[in-house]
Amino acid sequence: MGKIIVSENALAKLAALTTMQCYGVVGLVPTSFKERFSSLLSKDKASRGVKVEIQGRHVSFTVYVVLQSGVKVSEVASTIIRQVSYALEKFTGLKDIDVNVVIKSVRREN
Amino acid sequence: MDKLTLTEFQRMFQGAVNNLYNKKQLVNELNVFPVPDGDTGTNMYLTLKRAIDETNKRKPEDLRAFGKAICDGALIGGRGNSGVILSQILKGFFESLDGKDKVTIPEFAEALISATAVAYQAVIKPVEGTILTVINTVSKKALSLADKESDFFSFFRELLKTANETLKRTPELLPVLKEAGVVDAGGQGLVFIMEGMLLGLKGEIKMEKSFEESIEELDHQAIGGKLKFKYDTVILTEVPTIDPDKLRKQLEQFGDSIVVARSGNLTKLHVHSNEPYNVMKFVMQYGPLKEARIENMQEEQEEFLAHNKGKQPKPIVRRAVSIVSVSQGKGFDEIFLSLGVDVLISGGQTMNPSINDILAGIAKCEKKYVVVLPNNSNIILAANEAKKLVKDKVVEVIPTRNMVQAIPVILSFNADESFDVNISRAKKILSETHSFSVTYSVRDTKLNNIKIKKGDVLGLTDDKIVLKGKNPEKVLIHLFEKNKNLVKDYELISIYYGEKIKKEDAENVAKAVEKMFPELEVEVVYGGQPFYYYLVSLE
């Protein structure tokens, strides 16, 4: 039997795309401090808003997001956690997953 | 009717929350997207309920204050994805109506457009085939009708028709719905809200289903507490004309726990009082009694207290840790308490305990070290979140996926050893424990290449569906046959039968299993769990 290798980058991308579909999320922002604080990442670069840490079989994800103001932050965050865990478990079979959400900013209502 | 005022809005929202309450289970069963956890209906209901509660608390005198109360309530009480979307819809809707006392049809249509805009603002890439699609098409339809319609009833009926048509199209727009053979749960919830609004507007707020449940809850509260009023009275009467709200007010002179429900010509009412004869006399001035039932709650209370006193099982071992366990079913509650679990959190397939429920459970524990057993794969995340929020205690979550896995884990704790040693042993034991379960499907679907119909009996090893059938006992035996090689390496098979299973049937299955594995010990225990016909642990 051969091996299947899922790269860190693929995991980040999957987490990013799932996060972008969550209701209440208006975008991801870069994980690093150097880049400009509030610049929303475009869809192709969205995975730069996800930090992936792998320790043995345990994978921990941290997504850096901007939310729409006026939504209930705690519920949106827990939706992100649930949807990202669900998507990763479903697509990759990973079982031991942690998802953390960092809310970097809130977008003013138009 | 060409204008809506505060009164109509109050009736519409009351109608919406009642209708959603009656239908929430149907919505739960549709829930496959974004995460199939079967709680959309409950979440939408609780969100709307909290919004209505806020208006009851603030008693708004104009439409602006009413809208503010609804929006604040929905925001604070927003539960789950669908609850958050609902709160945005309500926000956009009432923002547009701000400052108006009377709302015309064109203004109502504008408000729906605003609701749609605000709801879509909060998401980058809206997924179509959801509640968003439903509100979108409904608002467009409203705008196209705005100049033609002059009556809110026919306007509403048209909108409801559009909403239903859109709902039917959701499987075409969202493949995951089509695959599971369902329409979108959130969209269905919105349709039920609109349906309830129309019923409320017509004055047909249906409460039949909730009447029995709400009086049961009130009776339970009364019996559990200090008994102020002794007699529980339920009266069915034909009073076609009297307004339920007025009747409710007037009944307050006799006692409390008042519930009044209307259905056609019949009015059903429930009150706790010390003078049931006066209640009857009072009701009879409006119309003849059809049925009346009076119960003395004092006796029930004494029975209840006596029953509960004898039934508080003492923990058998003193442990260095407190254990919080999610439980479902009478039998399991008792098993867990007898094993020394400190706090039980009741949990279910559709009503998963929230992070707050788990935190409350942890707060009740006396000891500094707390172990949480989620006993359901859907609750593990919430338990882990709760763990992170606790500052004054050391909390560990052992990720048990069902109740039978929890039992060997609980038994493994040893007060003489350190918390860390206990936790790592518990985790090891969990990884070595296998479980079978037999349950039924709540909807048609396809999983692991097995086509499943609603009502089919399913056999699972650990968390995987491996076979289906029609009879729970046959499915269970089939599971054992299929896993012969796995089972024979264990020593003890414990079979916990659920609330729907007869004891004899469970014992017969156990005999058959004993024959299959003569060298193993087989025990049969009443679990009383709902949803699962059988849960089996291998140790």
Side-chain angles (χ1 to χ4, degrees):
Chain A
M1 289 267 278
K3 264 188 197 166
I4 299 173
I5 296 169
V6 184
S7 76
E8 225 171 274
N9 191 33
L11 292 176
K13 185 99 194 175
L14 186 55
L17 293 178
T18 309
T19 306
M20 285 180 89
Q21 283 197 353
C22 290
Y23 190 85
V25 175
V26 298
L28 282 93
V29 287
T31 55
S32 82
F33 288 106
K34 280 176 201 159
E35 298 191 51
R36 263 182 56 204
F37 174 64
S38 63
S39 58
L40 290 179
L41 291 163
S42 67
K43 201 178 157 191
D44 326 331
K45 292 181 185 160
S47 52
R48 278 161 58 193
V50 183
K51 199 157 82 190
V52 183
E53 287 158 293
I54 303 175
Q55 282 185 315
R57 301 207 138 250
H58 177 87
V59 188
S60 145
F61 295 84
T62 309
V63 293
Y64 292 74
V65 294
V66 177
L67 301 188
Q68 176 75 9
S69 80
V71 297
K72 190 175 181 187
V73 169
S74 58
E75 286 302 310
V76 173
S78 76
T79 299
I80 297 172
I81 293 170
R82 272 162 51 195
Q83 286 187 218
V84 171
S85 318
Y86 176 72
L88 284 159
E89 194 171 327
K90 190 170 156 202
F91 289 111
T92 65
L94 283 170
K95 284 255 153 62
D96 197 3
I97 295 173
D98 259 345
V99 179
N100 303 302
V101 177
V102 178
I103 297 151
K104 284 284 244 181
S105 180
V106 178
R107 188 175 73 177
R108 208 155 42 91
E109 288 165 69
N110 306 350
Chain B
M1 192 187 300
D2 60 352
K3 285 190 184 69
L4 301 179
T5 64
L6 175 62
T7 323
E8 281 85 40
F9 272 100
Q10 282 170 331
R11 289 216 313 258
M12 280 161 59
F13 274 88
Q14 194 59 49
V17 78
N18 288 351
N19 201 45
L20 200 52
Y21 176 84
N22 291 340
K23 307 272 176 71
K24 63 177 191 292
Q25 198 51 38
L26 287 173
V27 178
N28 285 340
E29 284 168 13
L30 296 174
N31 181 199
V32 294
F33 178 85
V35 179
D37 39 16
D39 57 4
T40 301
T42 307
N43 285 339
M44 287 181 87
Y45 165 70
L46 290 172
T47 304
L48 197 59
K49 172 85 177 20
R50 182 70 181 76
I52 307 290
D53 287 350
E54 197 65 25
T55 67
N56 291 336
K57 209 163 76 190
R58 295 192 198 173
K59 305 203 185 337
E61 283 173 357
D62 56 24
L63 189 53
R64 176 189 210 152
F66 177 79
K68 183 92 177 50
I70 290 277
C71 293
D72 289 352
L75 176 62
I76 302 162
R79 281 187 51 147
N81 203 32
S82 50
V84 173
I85 301 178
L86 184 59
S87 76
Q88 291 298 100
I89 291 176
L90 292 169
K91 186 172 153 221
F93 183 81
F94 281 108
E95 264 172 13
S96 165
L97 296 181
D98 195 23
K100 298 192 172 73
D101 284 328
K102 292 193 178 99
V103 178
T104 62
I105 289 178
E107 285 165 347
F108 196 95
E110 267 311 313
L112 285 174
I113 295 285
S114 160
T116 307
V118 171
Y120 272 82
Q121 246 172 43
V123 59
I124 317 167
K125 210 176 149 242
V127 179
E128 293 299 342
T130 64
I131 183 172
L132 291 172
T133 318
V134 177
I135 186 74
N136 190 10
T137 57
V138 166
S139 65
K140 285 194 177 125
K141 180 74 181 176
L143 203 60
S144 78
L145 289 173
D147 297 328
K148 295 172 211 150
E149 287 282 351
S150 55
D151 174 38
F152 260 104
F153 289 114
S154 71
F155 175 62
F156 246 87
R157 274 194 289 272
E158 283 301 314
L159 296 187
L160 192 56
K161 212 170 100 191
T162 305
N164 267 310
E165 284 162 8
T166 311
L167 182 65
K168 269 195 211 124
R169 276 197 302 128
T170 54
E172 303 305 321
L173 297 167
L174 191 55
V176 59
L177 299 178
K178 197 169 189 177
E179 203 179 299
V182 293
V183 294
D184 180 62
Q188 178 71 73
L190 188 62
V191 168
F192 285 146
I193 289 175
M194 291 176 58
E195 194 181 277
M197 285 182 162
L198 181 59
L199 288 172
L201 201 58
K202 287 200 239 167
E204 297 170 16
I205 299 178
K206 285 193 190 160
M207 287 272 288
E208 292 131 278
K209 264 193 195 162
S210 58
F211 183 81
E212 299 304 329
E213 279 170 306
S214 48
I215 69 169
E216 196 177 308
E217 199 176 300
L218 288 165
D219 291 351
H220 200 76
Q221 277 170 11
I223 288 166
K226 213 176 121 207
L227 217 50
K228 206 164 117 203
F229 297 105
K230 237 168 109 176
Y231 295 99
D232 176 17
T233 313
V234 177
I235 297 175
L236 190 62
T237 165
E238 282 179 47
V239 275
T241 48
I242 188 169
D243 172 29
D245 286 327
K246 215 171 125 198
L247 189 59
R248 207 169 289 131
K249 277 241 159 58
Q250 290 176 336
L251 286 170
E252 278 171 12
Q253 59 178 305
F254 301 110
D256 65 7
S257 302
I258 296 156
V259 183
V260 178
R262 281 287 289 277
S263 165
N265 267 343
L266 294 176
T267 299
K268 205 171 187 185
L269 50 97
H270 167 266
V271 55
H272 292 167
S273 75
N274 284 327
E275 41 196 35
Y277 40 91
N278 281 336
V279 177
M280 287 161 96
K281 213 166 129 190
F282 172 80
V283 175
M284 280 173 79
Q285 50 173 349
Y286 291 107
L289 301 186
K290 260 186 94 81
E291 259 177 59
R293 187 193 54 145
I294 299 165
E295 271 171 38
N296 186 336
M297 290 192 292
Q298 187 132 33
E299 284 174 21
E300 279 179 66
Q301 186 179 41
E302 277 157 19
E303 247 173 62
F304 174 82
L305 292 176
H307 183 74
N308 265 29
K309 213 172 165 187
K311 262 221 174 134
Q312 298 250 309
K314 285 262 152 51
I316 47 169
V317 216
R318 281 198 58 80
R319 300 173 199 283
V321 297
S322 285
I323 302 172
V324 176
S325 174
V326 177
S327 173
Q328 208 177 21
K330 255 191 177 162
F332 271 104
D333 286 354
E334 278 173 28
I335 294 166
F336 283 139
L337 289 173
S338 73
L339 292 174
V341 167
D342 298 76
V343 179
L344 290 179
I345 300 174
S346 69
Q349 198 69 9
T350 52
M351 185 72 191
N352 289 339
S354 67
I355 296 173
N356 268 332
D357 297 335
I358 298 169
L359 281 175
I362 295 171
K364 277 189 215 154
C365 293
E366 286 169 11
K367 303 198 177 82
K368 195 183 163 217
Y369 293 96
V370 178
V371 174
V372 179
L373 305 170
N375 296 346
N376 184 325
S377 48
N378 290 334
I379 306 174
I380 295 174
L381 269 171
N384 276 319
E385 287 310 303
K387 168 188 162 182
K388 288 181 200 155
L389 295 173
V390 177
K391 298 272 176 290
D392 57 339
K393 288 184 177 124
V394 182
V395 180
E396 269 298 336
V397 176
I398 308 290
T400 48
R401 285 168 182 264
N402 59 44
M403 290 189 285
V404 294
Q405 291 185 334
I407 290 165
V409 169
I410 296 169
L411 291 171
S412 76
F413 290 113
N414 183 342
D416 297 333
E417 282 167 313
S418 75
F419 189 59
D420 291 346
V421 171
N422 272 308
I423 292 301
S424 60
R425 184 175 45 222
K427 285 187 171 162
K428 183 163 171 277
I429 284 175
L430 178 64
S431 70
E432 288 163 356
T433 311
H434 283 284
S435 61
F436 296 162
S437 44
V438 179
T439 180
Y440 54 91
S441 174
V442 294
R443 58 166 177 263
D444 293 1
T445 186
K446 203 178 155 186
L447 278 170
N448 299 337
N449 285 327
I450 304 176
K451 247 195 170 159
I452 294 161
K453 279 219 163 60
K454 184 174 170 169
D456 274 352
V457 176
L458 306 176
L460 293 81
T461 55
D462 294 316
D463 266 353
K464 237 177 124 182
I465 296 177
V466 290
L467 48 93
K468 64 162 186 177
K470 292 284 170 211
N471 170 302
E473 285 73 30
K474 278 189 188 145
V475 168
L476 183 59
I477 290 180
H478 205 147
L479 273 175
F480 276 106
E481 282 168 349
K482 233 182 156 169
N483 293 286
K484 258 188 174 157
N485 286 330
L486 173 78
V487 178
K488 67 175 172 33
D489 293 334
Y490 287 84
E491 291 163 5
L492 173 66
I493 301 171
S494 314
I495 300 174
Y496 299 85
Y497 61 101
E499 61 175 0
K500 288 196 183 124
I501 297 292
K502 288 197 205 90
K503 196 177 173 194
E504 304 95 81
D505 291 340
E507 279 167 353
N508 285 334
V509 173
K511 271 181 207 144
V513 174
E514 259 170 61
K515 242 186 195 164
M516 228 186 286
F517 306 99
E519 67 283 11
L520 266 67
E521 204 179 317
V522 181
E523 60 173 13
V524 182
V525 188
Y526 172 64
Q529 68 276 14
F531 308 118
Y532 288 94
Y533 297 120
Y534 291 102
L535 285 165
V536 177
S537 74
L538 306 174
E539 290 168 53

